[in-house]
Amino acid sequence: MNDYKIELSGVSKSFGDKHVLQGLTLNIPTGSSVVVIGGSGTGKSVMLKSILGIVKPDAGSIRIDRQDVTKLSGKDRSKVLSKIGMLFQGAALFDSLPVWQNVSFGLIQGQGVKRKEAREVAIEMLAKVGLGKDVASLSPAELSGGMQKRVGLARAIATHPEIIFFDEPTTGLDPIMADVINDLIVERVQELGATTLSITHDMASARKIADYIAMIYHGKIVWAGAASDIDNSGNEVVDQFIHGRADGPIEIDIKR
Amino acid sequence: MNILQPIGRTALVVCALAGRLANFAASALINTVQPPFYWRAVLQQLLRMGYYSLPVVGLTALFTGGVLALQIYIGSSRFNAENFVANIVALGITRELGPVLAGLMVAGRVSASIAAEIGTMRVTEQIDALTTLSTNPVKYLIVPRVVAAIICLPLLVAVADIIGILGGFLVATQSLDFNPSVYIRSTIDFIEVGDVTSGLIKAAVFGFIIALMGCFNGYYSEGGAQGVGRATTNAVVSASIFILASNYFMTTIFFSE
Ligand SMILES: Nc1ncnc2c1ncn2[C@@H]1O[C@H](COP(=O)(O)OP(=O)(O)OP(=O)(O)O)[C@@H](O)[C@H]1O
Ligand SMILES: [Mg+2]
């Protein structure tokens, strides 16, 4: 079977002489939930931004629904982007707009939904991420970090996109809220048939939401497989990472 | 050889920057005439740029008109040409000082705030978020500001012209003993439509420069809070210099019979 929603092959990206992605290859099956794990600063966010076209890869191809998206611009690009919802690592809420307009931005600007109706959808979406009606008219600056993250999540799913990217959806949340968010992501995949690609450091979350897990190291995917195989990967890098050991093949530069 | 290297490098950097600016200006203009249009954003910007700039522009014009009347009186009394005070104040304000000083004051206020706002949106990934929500950031952020500034500046300068001439009138009549009705008569008789319109055309160009430099510097800012600070400074400095330089060239074009 070869039914992939997103295919990255040989993607490379350098910033100056810092080679962040070095021939990264990853296939994401349609309707599945893939989680990418990896150390801080290894290029996970850069990978997501490359798929979105925010970062232009130096080499390699990225295909969404079998269409190469690295060379798209203008109308074609926004057509592809309208299939995708994205939760940014830092939430990236528009601070000039109240919370409800942030959540319904894609509906109002992208799909021409009337403001009154959009507000109702926004309140519904906020409820899904555990935020009350009273939050809707606040400005993003009045929210805590975890609340901003959840508003970003509500914004990412509000348009019911086919593909959703979650950049660290549960960091900054308490364990209970994190689990609510995990359930929400699972629901998106199972009930709505969305394809999701998530990044996380939180192994509990990864185990819960992932169908497949991939490990990024030195700009490449060093291991990818079913989530249930993560404990028997036979890969030292993965073992060290999931057990959070300081010694192993992953070297961390700390001066002692 | 080693002397040429830095010169060449600087030249390359300047050329790249000029190219990027020209590209940015072209895409701002092209997007202005292509739908969708964000009217709500334009109105919001008109209010922020135009209405809230009125006090600054008004005060600048008032004192400039006053000091102009005073200096021209002192200078012209050396050869008994005091009668020309009203004429020269009107000419100076409408042709040059109204548009240029209003432009510079608004550059300080508006370019800086645009650069800070858009720069912050850049470094906090809000601009990236816009693209992922199928919204073109040039259309949503840049065009409304450019359009609003091109509309605002001429209106502000029209106000500055009136208040500047009023400033001259107040000084002339209150402390220099001019006859009020004679002063008004000689202002109205002397001033021509071309004096005012040339100033308003200049103002529209300055408006474009102000919004463009604010947006450009903000849009390409990088490196956190420090980068936004740098963008803000660059926006004000570059807008001011472009205003002064373009003013010179426009004056040579408009008044070169
Ligand atoms: N715009 C940029 N310019 C220069 N370097 C960049 C840029 N974006 C990312 N990098 C570099 O690329 C590397 C990977 O960054 P990235 O944000 O993808 O890390 P990450 O894997 O998401 O880490 P974390 O888990 O901490 O979020 C980092 O070393 C960073 O310094
Ligand atoms: Mg990251």
Side-chain angles (χ1 to χ4, degrees), chain A residues 33-37 170 179 182 186 190 198 200-213 223 226-233 238-239 241-244:
Chain A
S33 167
V34 173
V35 169
V36 173
I37 57 174
T170 56
D179 208 48
N182 289 337
V186 171
Q190 288 179 352
S198 316
T200 189
H201 298 132
D202 172 0
M203 283 313 297
S205 166
R207 286 172 201 277
K208 178 143 190 189
I209 63 179
D211 297 322
Y212 302 96
I213 295 182
W223 184 84
S228 50
D229 294 341
I230 186 82
D231 293 308
N232 316 309
S233 65
V238 174
D239 279 344
F241 190 83
I242 62 176
H243 296 116

Side-chain angles (χ1 to χ4, degrees), chain A residues 49 52 54 77-78 81-86 88-97 102 105-106 109-110 115 155 159, chain B residues 34-38 40 44 48 117 120-122 124-137 140-141 145:
Chain A
K49 287 179 192 167
L52 290 165
I54 295 168
R77 183 171 167 226
S78 60
L81 285 172
S82 67
K83 296 185 203 170
I84 308 178
M86 165 84 182
F88 283 84
Q89 190 168 359
L93 301 179
F94 307 126
D95 39 32
S96 59
L97 299 176
N102 266 281
F105 194 92
Q109 307 296 352
R115 293 169 75 83
R155 183 174 70 182
T159 53
Chain B
Q34 277 176 349
F37 306 109
Y38 295 98
R40 196 184 289 267
Q44 211 174 12
R48 278 175 51 181
E117 191 179 2
T120 305
M121 292 188 75
R122 164 64 71 199
T124 56
E125 301 185 325
Q126 291 178 50
I127 292 182
D128 294 337
L130 275 179
T131 26
T132 67
L133 292 163
S134 321
T135 302
N136 181 343
Y140 184 75
L141 294 174
R145 286 167 172 77

Side-chain angles (χ1 to χ4, degrees), chain A residues 39-46 48-49 89-90 167-168 199 201:
Chain A
S40 190
T42 49
K44 303 183 298 295
S45 298
V46 170
L48 284 190
K49 287 179 192 167
Q89 190 168 359
D167 198 343
E168 308 198 2
I199 289 171
H201 298 132

Side-chain angles (χ1 to χ4, degrees), chain A residues 144-166:
Chain A
S144 76
M147 289 163 88
Q148 291 182 4
K149 198 82 190 223
R150 285 185 276 157
V151 173
L153 196 71
R155 183 174 70 182
I157 62 177
T159 53
H160 296 297
E162 298 166 34
I163 302 170
I164 319 174
F165 296 155
F166 299 104

Side-chain angles (χ1 to χ4, degrees), chain A residues 182-198:
Chain A
N182 289 337
D183 286 339
L184 187 74
I185 295 173
V186 171
E187 178 203 284
R188 291 288 120 183
V189 179
Q190 288 179 352
E191 287 170 26
L192 302 172
T195 305
T196 64
L197 174 56
S198 316

